[in-house]
Amino acid sequence: DYESPVLFRLAGYLVRLVILVVVVAVVLFVRNRKYFNGEGFSQELQTEFDYFMDGTESELPKVIWKNDEMLTSYSAQGGPKAFFRQIDLQRITARAKWRDLLLNNGWHLENVEIGDATVTLKSGLSIEEDQPRQDRIRSSSWLSATPDLSQTRFGDITLHNADFLWGPYWTSMGSLKGCSGTVNRKLGKWSLSLGNATFTQNWLRNLTMFPNKPIGIALEDDKILITNGEFKLGNAGRATLNGMVQLGETPEFDLRISMKTIDITDIVPETFHSVVAGLADFEMTVTGSPN
């Protein structure tokens, strides 16, 4: 009480302060736990995905947390500035303590994985691409964790099963299907290391990648650089793929394909199998626009 020794009174004030801090901390803990496991956080994450990837008509299910691991999915149509026409990412998982996401140094994700991914690439950017982009207004309150994917830190993103499709017309249609590998971002540049895929471009079909020999893909300055793609075709055929795809409103291919010991029946229509036979080597350059 008031007549107690000063030391006792200071101790009493300290106990009251501790009780107040504990009560506030419990309230914030319960509030934020409810926020991260509710619709609010899922909607914030969906809005950030849309902004970061320029997605429209998107869907992102409620984020599920279990043992500091988050699980969700994301699908969307591509907006004017997006590099894709459609994207579908299923079973996106990442390890993060939701309590750390409230801190300024948060949004450090670990063990990021994507179970299934289907990406249909645009043949060219929209004519609306030069229009200014609206800034995303993020909350400045330390009571909420508004994601900023451009500042998020993570290591390699593991892809378990991914299909990449391109070319809206049969004259330019191609794909890289059944990929597994990793995606990495350093200094704002993206790179992929993909393996176990089947490559198709126009009439050139069913080139299967060699095991343990991934193809390197880098996105730099509106260019997709492709290096060290090694494939097999048929029983004895071998092919290597290198080159570049220039992005933009009028994108262009510049791919170099070297093929050795190719059975001609593997690359001509079945109608001609009875009249054409033999093995051949080819050095090819694929140029033109996917438009």
Side-chain angles (χ1 to χ4, degrees), residues 7-197:
L7 186 60
F8 286 1
R9 278 186 285 161
L10 291 176
Y13 294 144
L14 180 61
V15 169
R16 292 185 181 93
L17 179 61
V18 169
I19 293 175
L20 178 62
V21 170
V22 169
V23 170
V24 171
V26 169
V27 171
L28 291 177
F29 179 85
V30 173
R31 180 263 184 197
N32 286 315
R33 185 178 181 86
K34 184 178 179 180
Y35 166 75
F36 278 102
N37 288 277
E39 296 293 337
F41 176 70
S42 299
Q43 291 175 357
E44 278 288 339
L45 193 59
Q46 181 176 354
T47 301
E48 178 62 15
F49 261 110
D50 290 345
Y51 178 79
F52 185 72
M53 305 186 70
D54 197 28
T56 63
E57 302 178 36
S58 64
E59 294 183 8
L60 188 146
K62 178 182 174 182
V63 178
I64 299 174
W65 289 89
K66 184 177 180 181
N67 298 328
D68 291 329
E69 187 170 70
M70 57 186 291
L71 168 66
T72 190
S73 299
Y74 179 78
S75 60
Q77 303 290 323
K81 296 180 181 295
F83 65 89
F84 58 88
R85 284 194 290 124
Q86 290 181 314
I87 192 168
D88 184 21
L89 308 176
Q90 295 295 318
R91 301 195 315 279
I92 305 172
T93 62
R95 181 167 292 278
K97 294 182 179 180
W98 60 263
R99 295 171 294 278
D100 294 341
L101 300 182
L102 293 170
L103 304 176
N104 291 331
N105 62 347
W107 291 105
H108 185 189
L109 306 180
E110 299 177 355
N111 303 337
V112 183
E113 301 185 22
I114 300 175
D116 293 294
T118 302
V119 182
T120 303
L121 301 171
K122 272 187 179 179
S123 59
L125 299 182
S126 167
I127 58 176
E128 304 174 22
E129 65 173 330
D130 292 331
Q131 295 183 3
R133 185 177 180 182
Q134 298 263 340
D135 288 335
R136 164 147 154 71
I137 300 176
R138 296 183 174 88
S139 172
S140 59
S141 172
W142 63 276
L143 296 179
S144 63
T146 307
D148 183 353
L149 295 181
S150 65
Q151 302 297 324
T152 299
R153 294 171 293 156
F154 51 81
D156 288 346
I157 300 175
T158 301
L159 290 175
H160 290 281
N161 182 35
D163 292 343
F164 297 92
L165 316 172
W166 58 83
Y169 312 113
W170 70 269
T171 52
S172 60
M173 195 170 294
S175 64
L176 197 62
K177 292 186 175 181
C179 306
S180 61
T182 59
V183 182
N184 186 275
R185 183 184 71 184
K186 288 184 178 179
L187 301 176
K189 295 183 178 181
W190 294 87
S191 60
L192 297 81
S193 178
L194 302 174
N196 306 318

Side-chain angles (χ1 to χ4, degrees), residues 166 175 199-205 207 215 226 228-233 237-244 253-260 262 267 280-287:
W166 58 83
S175 64
F199 174 76
T200 295
Q201 182 64 54
N202 302 87
W203 49 268
L204 194 58
R205 300 178 182 275
L207 274 72
I215 186 172
I226 302 171
N228 300 326
E230 297 190 39
F231 301 86
K232 60 181 179 179
L233 180 63
R238 299 291 184 267
T240 59
L241 171 65
N242 292 275
M244 176 268 294
F253 289 126
D254 185 7
L255 303 176
R256 296 172 299 283
I257 304 173
S258 177
M259 308 176 70
K260 304 294 183 183
I262 301 298
I267 60 174
D281 295 343
F282 297 94
E283 295 290 337
M284 301 194 314
T285 301
V286 180
T287 60

